[in-house]
Amino acid sequence: MLLFLAVGIGVLFLAHTAPFPFLLEAFSPSRSIWRVPDERGRKGPPLIYLTYDDGPNPAVTPALLDVLRETDTHATFFLIDAHLNESTAPMVRRMFDEGHAVALHSDSRALMVKTPSELAALLTGYADRIEQLAGRRPCRLFRPHAGWRSGSMYEGLTQIDHRLVGWSWGLWDWNWFRPPDAERLARRLAKRASRGDIIVLHDGHHVDPAADRRYAIEATRQLVPALKQRGYGFERLCVPAP
């Protein structure tokens, strides 16, 4: 009996915290994006989707944008509302101006326990602030902190016609409590990535608005040409607002 109870608790925990599609997504797969569907009929190279979390970060984001511009690569930035202010707004405007997509992120797992209406109102407020500070509205996409989600979160996203975004299996910069190594990270991601995959790196930190995330700059500098050499192109998860 205790074994069954432990398994049940484990399954319930994974349903809300797994860094991959699990039970919540099985019942309504169209409400989330963990990998972009195969589009073999489209012209051009197979696509990879670079995403960055926890910005904008004045210590890292501008240099990261430089690398993306130099390599002619577009990405999707998931921004934390607490890091948005008059001094970081120019970075967000630059994201829009240079063709990147901007979407919503959070700095707390607590959003998974909010009511659908509370979450909808909170995210609408986040989008309003981006529009006020940067002049354009973000995409209707939301990535929860650490991927922690719930049924009520999905209901709230449905109320405002947003979709939850995760990432492809193993394609994140988590390094098991060790400092990330840019070269090793780029090599691992380039080796594992395949058509339609979503990669997540961090140009910021959910608590520290000026965290040292320089590894993300160098990892991007190495990763992009490595994937292009394998024949991949890069695209955003949504079309930027005009």
Side-chain angles (χ1 to χ4, degrees):
M1 177 62 74
L2 288 178
L3 177 60
F4 285 114
L5 180 61
V7 169
I9 292 174
V11 169
L12 182 63
F13 180 76
L14 278 177
H16 298 282
T17 65
F20 48 82
F22 199 55
L23 288 182
L24 290 173
E25 290 71 41
F27 291 107
S28 187
S30 65
R31 294 195 295 175
S32 65
I33 306 171
W34 295 82
R35 193 172 185 278
V36 178
D38 198 351
E39 297 181 347
R40 293 183 186 273
R42 64 174 294 277
K43 295 181 179 179
L47 297 175
I48 298 287
Y49 298 81
L50 280 181
T51 68
Y52 296 91
D53 283 5
D54 292 350
N57 178 355
V60 173
T61 304
L64 176 60
L65 288 169
D66 288 343
V67 171
L68 293 173
R69 182 178 58 194
E70 292 162 7
T71 57
D72 192 24
T73 303
H74 288 137
T76 304
F77 287 84
F78 290 87
L79 307 184
I80 289 179
D81 180 73
H83 297 346
L84 288 166
N85 51 54
E86 292 292 341
S87 65
T88 59
M91 299 175 217
V92 184
R93 287 195 290 269
R94 181 179 171 187
M95 292 173 190
F96 282 118
D97 290 344
E98 297 186 358
H100 302 292
V102 173
L104 305 177
H105 194 34
S106 63
D107 58 354
S108 172
R109 295 174 175 86
L111 270 64
M112 66 184 289
V113 299
K114 290 189 175 295
T115 68
S117 296
E118 288 173 339
L119 180 74
L122 189 67
L123 295 185
T124 298
Y126 291 173
D128 289 344
R129 285 225 322 135
I130 290 175
E131 186 172 21
Q132 291 164 5
L133 287 169
R136 281 180 268 187
R137 201 160 185 83
C139 296
R140 294 179 178 273
L141 299 176
F142 169 66
R143 176 176 279 159
H145 178 56
W148 285 37
R149 55 208 185 275
S150 63
S152 63
M153 177 178 285
Y154 272 120
E155 290 180 30
L157 292 173
T158 299
Q159 287 185 11
I160 54 175
D161 192 27
H162 280 52
R163 296 178 74 186
L164 184 144
V165 176
W167 50 87
S168 299
W169 174 256
L171 296 181
W172 58 82
D173 53 3
W174 169 253
N175 200 31
W176 300 102
F177 302 103
R178 295 172 297 181
D181 178 271
E183 183 176 354
R184 185 177 302 170
L185 175 62
R187 188 166 59 247
R188 173 171 66 83
L189 294 176
K191 181 180 179 180
R192 292 188 180 184
S194 61
R195 179 192 296 263
D197 275 339
I198 298 171
I199 296 174
V200 57
L201 299 169
H202 291 75
D203 62 325
H205 184 273
H206 66 287
V207 175
D208 183 358
D212 183 357
R213 299 292 202 185
R214 284 175 292 179
Y215 75 87
I217 302 169
E218 185 56 32
T220 300
R221 193 189 309 276
Q222 297 182 36
L223 176 62
V224 168
L227 286 171
K228 287 187 175 181
Q229 189 172 21
R230 289 181 57 195
Y232 290 105
F234 294 87
E235 187 53 277
R236 305 145 298 188
L237 286 172
C238 54
V239 178

